[in-house]
């Protein structure tokens, strides 16, 4: 009798374990596929061959010279960037030739994992699996991500802000879930103080759970932001490229987010210089009309959520670009995609707001039925945009490759010291105070230039490597 009871009790557990195993296997397959797609994106030299900007000049340089404990609390540009420090430190213990591949691969894996988090978190916000699939796929495959932020550790804080938004919005109702959510939001907040802009999502999360446990993750995030605030106060260092013209901020959002959502960045470079602000106004009016129309077809709470999500999207461009300066975004002559990193969170949240509205407005279909036309149409629209942007040149397209830089360093190190050419000083490389300061190479060290190159003079970004690491 006891054996029968045990077998009866174990029977329901077997399907549950099988389902968990299947979900884990599917998630792992998606992570591998999404990571691979990020690594092969773009023409010319791709991410695994080219070490990018601060990934090398700040994170690798300092990982080679200091411990993780020292680097974790070393600010760059006036604030902590914990995700970059954690991922950079292992590179100091790997063969130096692996550095470019390591940084690109770990960045791509983190973005893929964040997309898995969005799949599970969005289940508590939208009904349709197609809506969840689109929200998930947009994280690693956003068309506009190819130019500047794809597979770059230095830009992971934008994606962590997206992750923080979703775990606050879809607040877990259990202690274990809240601890996991707290880990996500603390990592996001300790990597970028601008993550504070997604905190309004926590209101919706709390109202859905209506238990004090739902306050654990937001409270942890506020404490992490307080640490960032203290670092900012103790080490003031404002990154500013140009003055800020307040009136231009709305135009920049309309151009680089709303119009780009219609065209993709590659077509943006053809449409805007030709038609100017007229086409931007048309795009904004079309988007506003469609958004307002959807608001009239959804429940009040869904409408409020979509509006708040759009406000966060706008804030996530206005605040960082306002701190940076508005120069270089609106000029039609020589229009470029520089600063596209500022559009990643705004675009992801714009599409989140649209998809949430569509999910509520479109009647739910049985799982076995064909997907509603709206999801097929939106998938095709975004897929075509992605394919159009896939082969567009990126900041890494022209190199230089990390391998050729190391070969040049090895050739120089093979010469007698008296015959070695003088090495340029790396403009940013060592930590001091609020940020990173020039790193002067020693007698037995070489400066390896990394992307993007400065055509007008010495490299703006470089890694100072010891000859002992490149000989042979």
């Amino acid at each position: 009798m006891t054996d029968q009871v045990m077998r009866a009790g174990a029977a329901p557990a077997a399907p549950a374990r099988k389902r968990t195993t299947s979900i884990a296997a599917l998630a792992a397959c998606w992570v591998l596929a999404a990571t691979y797609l990020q690594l092969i994106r773009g023409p010319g030299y791709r991410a695994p061959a080219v070490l990018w900007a601060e990934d090398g000049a700040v994170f690798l340089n300092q990982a080679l010279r200091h411990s993780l404990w020292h680097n974790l609390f070393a600010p760059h540009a006036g604030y902590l960037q914990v995700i970059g420090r954690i991922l950079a430190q292992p590179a100091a213990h790997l063969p130096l030739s692996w550095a470019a591949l390591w940084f690109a691969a770990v960045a791509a894996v983190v973005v893929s994992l964040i997309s898995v988090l969005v799949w599970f978190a969005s289940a508590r916000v939208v009904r349709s699996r197609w809506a969840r699939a689109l929200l998930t796929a947009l994280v690693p495959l956003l068309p506009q991500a190819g130019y500047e932020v794809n597979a770059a550790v230095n830009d992971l804080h934008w994606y962590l802000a997206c992750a923080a938004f979703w775990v606050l919005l879809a607040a877990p109702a259990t202690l274990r879930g809240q601890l996991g959510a707290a880990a996500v939001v603390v990592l996001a907040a300790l990597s970028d103080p601008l993550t504070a802009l997604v905190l309004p999502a926590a209101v919706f999360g709390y109202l859905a759970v209506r238990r004090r446990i739902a306050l654990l993750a937001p409270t942890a995030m506020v404490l992490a932001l307080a640490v960032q605030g203290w670092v900012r106060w103790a080490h003031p260092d404002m990154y500013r490229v140009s003055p800020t013209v307040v009136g231009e901020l709305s135009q920049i959002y309309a151009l680089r987010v709303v119009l780009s959502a219609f065209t993709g960045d590659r077509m943006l470079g053809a449409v805007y210089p030709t038609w100017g602000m007229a086409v931007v106004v048309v795009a904004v009016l079309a988007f506003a009309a469609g958004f307002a129309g959807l608001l009239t077809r959804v429940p009040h709470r869904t409408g409020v959520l979509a509006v708040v999500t759009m406000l966060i999207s706008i804030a996530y461009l206005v605040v960082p670009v306002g701190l940076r300066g508005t120069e270089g975004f609106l000029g039609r002559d020589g229009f470029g995609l520089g600063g596209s990193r500022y559009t990643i969170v705004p675009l992801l949240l714009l599409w989140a707001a649209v998809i949430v509205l569509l999910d509520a407005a479109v009647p739910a279909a049985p799982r076995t039925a064909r997907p509603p036309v709206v999801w097929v149409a939106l998938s095709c629209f975004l897929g075509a945009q992605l394919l159009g942007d896939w082969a567009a040149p990126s900041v890494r397209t022209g190199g230089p490759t990390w391998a050729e830089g190391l070969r040049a360093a090895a050739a120089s190190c093979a010469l007698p010291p008296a015959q070695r050419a003088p090495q340029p000083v790396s403009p940013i490389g060592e930590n001091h105070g609020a940020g990173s300061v020039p790193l002067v190479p020693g007698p037995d060290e070489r400066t390896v230039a990394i992307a993007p190159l400065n055509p007008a003079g010495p490299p703006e970004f470089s890694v100072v490597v010891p000859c002992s690491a490149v000989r042979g």
Side-chain angles (χ1 to χ4, degrees):
M1 183 68 178
T2 303
D3 292 341
Q4 291 177 349
V5 172
M6 291 180 64
R7 283 195 296 271
R17 284 197 299 269
K18 185 176 180 180
R19 186 171 184 272
T20 301
T21 302
S22 298
I23 292 173
L26 288 171
C29 289
W30 166 251
V31 168
L32 290 174
T35 298
Y36 175 73
L37 290 172
Q38 291 173 79
L39 294 180
I40 67 167
R41 185 168 181 172
Y45 295 121
R46 289 170 173 157
V50 180
L51 191 57
W52 170 244
E54 287 91 345
D55 282 8
V58 176
F59 299 135
L60 180 58
N61 268 329
Q62 294 173 26
L64 290 170
R65 287 161 178 81
H66 306 291
S67 68
L68 175 60
W69 184 252
H70 175 278
N71 289 332
L72 273 179
F73 301 100
H76 173 65
Y79 63 95
L80 301 180
Q81 300 185 30
V82 166
I83 184 66
R85 302 298 188 177
I86 292 173
L87 296 178
Q89 204 65 35
H93 306 285
L94 296 171
L96 200 57
S97 58
W98 294 12
L101 174 60
W102 171 262
F103 276 88
V106 295
V109 167
V110 169
V111 173
S112 300
L113 290 172
I114 289 173
S115 73
V116 173
L117 182 151
V118 171
W119 167 264
F120 289 106
S122 62
R124 296 194 285 273
V125 180
V126 295
R127 302 167 300 166
S128 168
R129 286 192 173 190
W130 290 93
R132 293 169 64 193
L134 280 171
L135 290 167
T136 300
L138 275 169
V139 176
L141 301 178
L142 184 73
Q144 293 83 357
Y147 181 74
E148 196 172 63
V149 307
N150 181 59
V153 166
N154 183 57
D155 289 304
L156 286 178
H157 58 95
W158 305 112
Y159 292 98
L160 282 172
C162 178
F165 170 82
W166 280 106
V167 298
L168 292 174
L169 180 62
T174 65
L175 177 60
R176 184 170 66 176
Q178 278 291 316
L179 290 174
V184 171
V185 298
V186 166
L187 182 60
L190 291 179
S191 299
D192 186 351
L194 289 175
T195 310
L197 295 173
V198 306
L199 264 174
V203 176
F204 294 91
Y206 175 77
L207 291 176
V209 176
R210 293 189 181 276
R211 293 173 55 193
R212 283 183 295 178
I213 190 69
L215 297 175
L216 194 155
T219 301
M221 184 175 177
V222 169
L223 293 175
L225 289 170
V227 173
Q228 285 280 25
W230 178 84
V231 170
R232 194 77 177 177
W233 176 79
H235 304 284
D237 180 31
M238 184 65 69
Y239 172 72
R240 178 171 285 278
V241 174
S242 68
T244 296
V245 180
V246 175
E248 292 182 349
L249 291 170
S250 59
Q251 298 176 56
I252 294 170
Y253 184 88
L255 168 65
R256 296 298 298 271
V257 179
V258 178
L259 181 58
S260 181
F262 282 102
T263 65
D265 271 354
R266 193 174 192 180
M267 282 188 62
L268 190 67
V271 170
Y272 175 65
T274 302
W275 299 99
M277 290 304 297
V279 71
V280 178
V281 171
V282 170
V284 170
L285 291 176
F287 178 81
F291 195 83
L294 286 172
L295 285 175
T296 64
R297 300 183 58 185
V298 302
H300 175 73
R301 182 173 177 177
T302 303
V304 173
L305 170 59
V307 169
V308 171
T309 302
M310 278 301 304
L311 290 175
I312 298 173
S313 170
I314 294 168
Y316 233 106
L317 183 128
V318 168
V319 174
V321 173
L323 293 173
R324 169 206 181 270
T326 52
E327 184 179 309
F329 284 97
L330 296 174
R332 292 168 64 182
D333 295 332
F335 176 76
L337 298 176
S340 64
R341 60 191 179 275
Y342 296 107
T343 70
I344 300 305
V345 179
L347 280 162
L348 288 173
L349 293 183
L350 177 147
W351 283 119
V354 169
I355 290 170
V356 165
L357 287 177
L358 286 172
D359 176 75
V362 175
R367 290 187 177 183
T368 55
R370 293 181 180 178
V373 173
V374 65
W375 299 124
V376 176
L378 186 55
S379 299
C380 291
F381 172 76
L382 289 170
Q385 198 177 108
L386 175 63
L387 290 174
D389 281 11
W390 190 265
S394 74
V395 289
R396 285 165 154 159
T397 296
T401 69
W402 178 240
E404 67 187 43
L406 290 182
R407 284 195 295 270
S412 179
C413 288
L415 298 172
Q419 298 180 22
R420 296 174 188 169
Q423 296 298 289
V425 173
S426 184
I428 59 173
E430 185 56 282
N431 171 260
H432 179 75
S436 298
V437 296
L439 178 60
V440 180
D444 207 34
E445 292 181 324
R446 303 287 91 184
T447 300
V448 180
I450 59 176
L453 285 178
N454 176 17
E460 183 178 359
F461 298 99
S462 55
V463 180
V464 177
V465 301
C467 283
S468 59
V470 298
R471 285 193 180 100

